[in-house]
Amino acid sequence: DVKVTQSSRYLVKRTGEKVFLECVQDMDHENMFWYRQDPGLGLRLIYFSYDVKMKEKGDIPEGYSVSREKKERFSLILESASTNQTSMYLCASSLPSYEQYFGPGTRLTVT
Amino acid sequence: GENVEQHPSTLSVQEGDSAVIKCTYSDSASNYFPWYKQELGKRPQLIIDIRSNVGEKKDQRIAVTLNKTAKHFSLHITETQPEDSAVYFCAAMLTGKLIFGQGTTLQVKP
């Protein structure tokens, strides 16, 4: 059974702080993704990675960066958190061109 | 790039009725179309998917149809039950990325 875990379910940070969100998958999937979910906007892709040390920008990469040093781990970094980054963040993993499996999400609040 | 439009944004049906959610996509190169169900407070989970070489796929009470010419695909749920209440997302895959629709909140009234 595929398992995708995220480091925190809830997180509260202050404006300007550096924030790290971590995602780990145990199915040896090549692809990993970070989305943010906001009401009425669906899931929007922030960054994705096809392989270790590889990353590609999604539709809304501004204000975010990522790191993938190991195949099973994909980190999302908010260099300087802002209030408009308050959102639900979802990580996902998949084999190429197959179903994506999602983590439980991290609800981030930036005050 | 790809764009996916999903309608309606909310849908309310009586238990036992059918529900239909429709999506259109813009890039004819998209080749994989999954549907996800997200219950309140939970992660999205795949309920059915279809690839571009197939026109229809069915799994018990759930079916998906794909019209490549018109670039639209639909989710059909028959004999709806209260546990079908959730947010449903369609998506289209292009160059390995999924582009999601805005979501449909389905409410099934007992």
Side-chain angles (χ1 to χ4, degrees), chain A residues 32-82:
Chain A
M32 296 190 75
F33 307 84
W34 274 107
Y35 296 90
R36 64 176 283 175
Q37 182 176 18
D38 301 287
L41 297 178
L43 286 79
R44 294 180 292 165
L45 183 63
I46 305 171
Y47 267 96
F48 61 103
S49 170
Y50 290 137
D51 202 350
V52 175
K53 296 192 185 296
M54 297 194 66
K55 59 185 179 184
E56 296 284 343
K57 292 180 180 179
D59 299 318
I60 51 165
E62 297 79 17
Y64 304 95
S65 62
V66 290
S67 173
R68 193 168 181 198
E69 296 296 319
K70 293 185 178 181
K71 191 174 185 179
E72 67 271 18
R73 189 180 299 268
F74 193 35
S75 301
L76 180 69
I77 303 155
L78 286 67
E79 295 290 341
S80 178
S82 63

Side-chain angles (χ1 to χ4, degrees), chain A residues 89-106:
Chain A
Y89 290 87
L90 287 162
C91 172
S93 73
S94 77
L95 294 171
S97 299
Y98 280 84
E99 163 187 7
Q100 290 186 16
Y101 294 86
F102 285 86
T106 295

